[in-house]
Amino acid sequence: MLNRDKLDAILISLGKNLSKPCRITVVGSAASMIWGQDGRQTPDIDVWRPTSEFDEEDLRNACYATGILFNPTGNVEHGDVYIQILRPGIVEFPGPFERTLLGQYGNLAVDMPPAEMIVASKLVRCNSRDIEDVMWWMANANLSKADVEAAINLIPGKVERESALENLVLIDIQMPRTDDPERDDSLEP
């Protein structure tokens, strides 16, 4: 499993092992770990292909030289670390979007989509880790529910968009508004 320090070491090694400049758009846990989420771990680095710019052979060779797998399609052994190339389908990001540069590691530039788009994509699947990540992004990227709802409305797939909109209520449940004039927190239940 990757923690923040191991992820940083892998990105540095990839940047050294690439023979030409490469830019990847990370989504999911890798983005939040680079942004500063402590305690998060993941076995993979999810890369959004439509906005990434890389030579596939060069990135594959750099992954192998670094000691990680490149876009495995079969079973992955426990403990394997890998880059997973994501294309539209299971995960949906509206495009085009502005990317935020997270870091430059030699020949490797790493960026991410807007935080509200990451949250919107996590609300589509919405497992327990996704909910933790949503709450972390809401607090640490200064997002509002309206920001996330606007991003959800850009998701191209109707089913995915509807799922994310239904799951948007979790933001209210997990992060109740303290500025709601109708809410009285001084009363005990």
Side-chain angles (χ1 to χ4, degrees):
M1 292 290 271
L2 286 174
N3 61 24
R4 190 172 172 195
D5 292 336
K6 288 180 186 176
L7 176 59
D8 195 49
I10 285 172
L11 296 174
I12 290 168
S13 181
L14 282 171
K16 288 178 182 176
N17 288 316
L18 285 162
S19 66
K20 52 184 113 179
C22 165
R23 186 173 185 117
I24 59 173
T25 302
V26 294
V27 297
S29 301
S32 60
M33 289 164 64
I34 296 169
W35 192 269
Q37 187 179 16
D38 289 328
R40 186 66 161 100
Q41 293 187 355
T42 184
D44 62 352
I45 302 167
D46 292 328
V47 174
W48 185 241
R49 183 60 177 123
T51 55
S52 297
E53 301 154 12
F54 59 84
D55 177 282
E56 195 133 342
E57 182 179 0
D58 192 34
L59 183 55
R60 179 182 292 111
N61 291 338
C63 285
Y64 293 145
T66 298
I68 65 172
L69 302 174
F70 175 80
N71 205 31
T73 56
N75 290 332
V76 177
E77 297 294 323
H78 181 70
D80 283 345
V81 174
Y82 56 96
I83 283 186
Q84 187 70 58
I85 306 300
L86 304 175
R87 290 179 167 79
I90 294 174
V91 177
E92 292 288 339
F93 285 96
F97 52 77
E98 276 194 46
R99 299 172 289 175
T100 300
L101 183 65
L102 295 173
Q104 182 73 43
Y105 306 85
N107 273 335
L108 178 65
V110 179
D111 62 38
M112 67 175 232
E116 59 271 20
M117 287 187 179
I118 292 174
V119 170
S121 73
K122 287 187 169 288
L123 286 171
V124 171
R125 183 175 61 181
C126 211
N127 67 30
S128 60
R129 279 209 166 157
D130 291 328
I131 295 168
E132 288 175 28
D133 291 346
V134 164
M135 294 307 111
W136 185 86
W137 278 112
M138 295 298 293
N140 290 280
N142 199 28
L143 297 176
S144 70
K145 183 179 173 185
D147 295 331
V148 175
E149 187 170 5
I152 290 171
N153 285 319
L154 297 173
I155 294 173
K158 181 182 179 195
V159 172
E160 292 82 4
R161 188 172 54 251
E162 288 174 353
S163 292
L165 285 169
E166 287 174 11
N167 292 329
L168 193 57
V169 70
L170 294 171
I171 291 173
D172 292 329
I173 293 169
Q174 297 290 320
M175 296 181 77
R177 288 182 49 196
T178 56
D179 62 339
D180 186 346
E182 295 187 24
R183 181 179 162 160
D184 186 357
D185 287 332
S186 66
L187 300 176
E188 296 277 329

